[in-house]
Amino acid sequence: MTLAVRVRRALGTHWYAWTMVAPVVLVIGVIIGYPLVRGVFLSLTDANEANVERNIGVNHLPATYKFTGLDNYRAVLSDGVFWDRLGWTVLWTVACVSLTFLVGLTLANMLNRTLRGRTFYRLALILPWAIPAFISVFTWRMLYNEKNGILNKLLAGGGIDAVPWLNDPTWAKLSVIAVNVWLGVPFMLVALLGGLQSIPGELYEAAEMDGASAWQRFRHITVPGLRAVSSTVILLSTIWTFNMFPVIFLLTRGGPGDATEILVTYAYRLSFIDSPRNFSESAAWGVLILVLLSVVAVVYRRALRKQGEVW
Amino acid sequence: MRRGIRGATATALVAGLALAATACGGGDGGSGGDSGGELSGTVTFWDTSNDAEKATYRKLAEGFQKEHPKVHVKYVNVPFGDANAKFKNAAGGNSGAPDVMRTEVAWVADFANLGYLAPLDGTPALDKTDDYLPQAVGSTKFKGKTYAAPQVIDTLGLFYNKKLLKDAGVEVPKSFAELATAAKKIKAKTGATALYLRGDDPYWFLPYLYGEGGDMVDARDKVVEIDDGAGVKAFKTIKSLVDSKAAVTDATDGQENQLKALKDGTVAMAVDGPWDIEGARAGKAFKDKKNLGVAPVPGGSTAQGSPQGGWNLSVYAGSKNLQASYAFVKYMSSAKVQQQTNEKLSLLPTRKSVYEVPAVKSNEMVQFFKPAVDGAVQRPWIAEGNSLFEPVKVQMNKVLTGAASPEQAAKATGDAYRKLLKDYK
């Protein structure tokens, strides 16, 4: 069967499906595909704010940047800054994801039983999710204010010296992680609670009859029962946290110094704070981040598949 | 949150990968302009003044409509921190940029270099240019053309709480060394900390640098200067002030924290500019307005100096209403409006003639700040001028938190400058 025939047959059989997905494909192509291709292209040039094509009213300034091959990548990868930022970004991602997952799992288990006021607790715990991220981050920033924030006022009441929440490199790292965990727990909680509720109760009853302890039930029923859900949420959470721009940027702007600067906030710095804005190097950082995350996702999927997961 | 993240991830992807994809057309702004000699249409003005100032500026800006009834002034207040990026996004994307922009002195060369500003030479925007203070004109020029009209001029001064210094029995310090000595007395007698040190904003680093006879770069000879001895000494000074508890600092929210500390009387002194005069006087420590004193910024070991700053008015090159915009700039920079600004906000005029007006002459803040401005240090007015601050900020934070030594910080700043300024030594 030739290709043309095959295509014709596929279209003939599935024309309705193709028509239905066309709008989505189009929209994704415009909002993801085009920027992606454009970004990869820019990362291979020396484009910056001063040499890209611009229209200032009626004046037209043509583009004057040129193709430079892999120069940007060479420059980024041979610069210590990239590796420093990568180290902290990995640490930040691992810390945030593991803490978020553990806290979410604990809370989900606590709420997966009948207790008085369960609806209230569930609602209260989902609240951080319902508030727009930037509002909660700004609130946290006010709480963290070393001189006038509520946290230090409370500590002062207990006779404890003011903590430099965002003014000390180590504290700032802990503070941003704490905020991100606070923001991320509701998602974990909801996802894992859903997973828990899909585990049949009979399994627990049978195990109890057999004399399994609470820990054994958790270890051998809950954990395997949650595997499908948890592997998905961990991967998603890793990707989100790796690129968690708003928390870092709004809390510390990457400071103090560059203590909390992750890869995406540094890419932002290149393309929005420096002048002229360095589009090409920033794009190179963006592509490298994408490659890193793709590799992580592929490796993770492989590892899961080996364990018998099917997605 | 997660919705937020997804949005942010998309934004990061879109922003990080396709920055130039924003070149969509459009743009609002009234048509019109110079129909039969009378100006008409809309002039959008982006003002960057702070909360204490903005009501006055809105009134002044809208006063233009009295002189030109057919022109509508659309006043938009854009917070200082976002204004630079916002203007660049709008101007570069040719969509939504204002007709007239209040440009910080370090922004003019940057914007002009990118082609965003209309040259004003020979237009009505520049009126009686001989009347401008010579130092105010410096920042309006780039490569031989004029891209702005000076609006206000300023420099940093040492704001002090007269009562606290009197209670402690100390004189107003003339150098940072004197300040450090006085700090112990101030703490012992009044409980207040001597100084709030802006560790979050690199602009405040300049007095320490100038005090050691240093500078960021030498634009004429194209040499990076910050990593020579003076830069190291300046980093050492801020470090020892904070370490010895003569000063308190923050890595974030310095503007709010400094003003609050000064207003509440928890610090005796702060380095600040005329834009915070009104804000400071609103505090409980300055119920008696006379309690706020202003003195020259303390010196370092070899010199004394504070940076000259201020604001200019520029016209967007893509404005659809250039004639009315020129007239608006002329109006906002006129002697009359400058005098009104001074009366209401104590901000410093950029015209010599305004300083001759008795009401301005007798203004206490003018009496202090005018000589200070005359002696202020001009910065290199180069396209990258504004970018020189970010590396200082990062290193200043590092020095104050002990993450880097003053020597390492000076060197790292110099290296960052050489990356930005490719042809500098």
Side-chain angles (χ1 to χ4, degrees), chain B residues 184-221:
Chain B
K184 292 186 195 84
K185 264 191 178 168
I186 297 173
K187 189 86 197 172
K189 295 257 175 67
T190 68
T193 305
L195 178 75
Y196 187 97
L197 190 148
R198 283 290 295 272
D200 65 311
D201 192 326
Y203 189 63
W204 270 255
F205 181 69
L206 295 177
Y208 300 93
L209 186 60
Y210 296 156
E212 301 301 333
D215 204 339
M216 298 194 281
V217 296
D218 178 344
R220 210 192 55 200
D221 297 337

Side-chain angles (χ1 to χ4, degrees), chain A residues 41-74:
Chain A
F41 166 70
L42 282 178
S43 74
L44 300 172
T45 67
D46 64 352
N48 66 36
E49 195 178 16
N51 63 19
V52 293
E53 182 184 12
R54 277 157 295 153
N55 287 301
I56 316 294
V58 289
N59 305 332
H60 178 80
L61 300 169
T64 54
Y65 58 88
K66 55 187 189 300
F67 190 76
T68 57
L70 294 173
D71 279 5
N72 286 319
Y73 293 96
R74 216 168 288 138

Side-chain angles (χ1 to χ4, degrees), chain B residues 174-188:
Chain B
K174 292 209 167 48
S175 70
F176 287 110
E178 277 181 43
L179 190 147
T181 320
K184 292 186 195 84
K185 264 191 178 168
I186 297 173
K187 189 86 197 172

Side-chain angles (χ1 to χ4, degrees), chain B residues 274-289:
Chain B
W275 56 86
D276 270 334
I277 293 172
E278 281 313 302
R281 279 175 169 170
K284 66 177 183 202
F286 304 105
K287 262 191 198 134
D288 173 13
K289 285 195 175 185

Side-chain angles (χ1 to χ4, degrees), chain A residues 78-119:
Chain A
S78 61
D79 191 348
V81 176
F82 178 79
W83 301 104
D84 282 357
R85 294 305 102 216
L86 181 61
W88 158 242
T89 310
V90 169
L91 183 70
W92 143 266
T93 310
V94 171
C96 285
V97 174
S98 51
L99 281 172
T100 316
F101 182 74
L102 288 178
V103 175
L105 185 62
T106 314
L107 291 172
N109 269 298
M110 286 163 71
L111 288 176
N112 189 31
R113 63 182 82 175
T114 36
L115 74 166
R116 222 171 5 169
R118 182 168 73 164
T119 322

Side-chain angles (χ1 to χ4, degrees), chain A residues 96-176:
Chain A
C96 285
V97 174
S98 51
L99 281 172
T100 316
F101 182 74
L102 288 178
V103 175
L105 185 62
T106 314
L107 291 172
N109 269 298
M110 286 163 71
L111 288 176
N112 189 31
R113 63 182 82 175
T114 36
L115 74 166
R116 222 171 5 169
R118 182 168 73 164
T119 322
F120 170 77
Y121 291 127
R122 282 188 181 177
L123 276 177
L125 285 165
I126 291 173
L127 203 63
W129 203 4
I131 307 171
F134 73 96
I135 293 182
S136 19
V137 176
F138 275 130
T139 313
W140 274 98
R141 184 162 156 170
M142 283 157 83
L143 296 177
Y144 277 146
N145 191 317
E146 187 183 343
K147 309 278 181 314
N148 312 309
I150 298 177
L151 285 180
N152 277 345
K153 292 256 159 73
L154 287 176
L155 289 179
I160 301 167
D161 276 350
V163 174
W165 298 108
L166 300 176
N167 290 334
D168 173 81
T170 314
W171 275 109
K173 285 180 172 153
L174 294 174
S175 303
V176 289

Side-chain angles (χ1 to χ4, degrees), chain A residues 171-186:
Chain A
W171 275 109
K173 285 180 172 153
L174 294 174
S175 303
V176 289
I177 291 175
V179 172
N180 196 43
V181 169
W182 185 84
L183 287 166
V185 160

Side-chain angles (χ1 to χ4, degrees), chain A residues 283-301:
Chain A
W285 278 70
V287 172
L288 285 171
I289 293 169
L290 181 70
V291 170
L292 278 170
L293 284 173
S294 311
V295 169
V296 168
V298 168
V299 170
Y300 186 75
R301 233 184 93 170

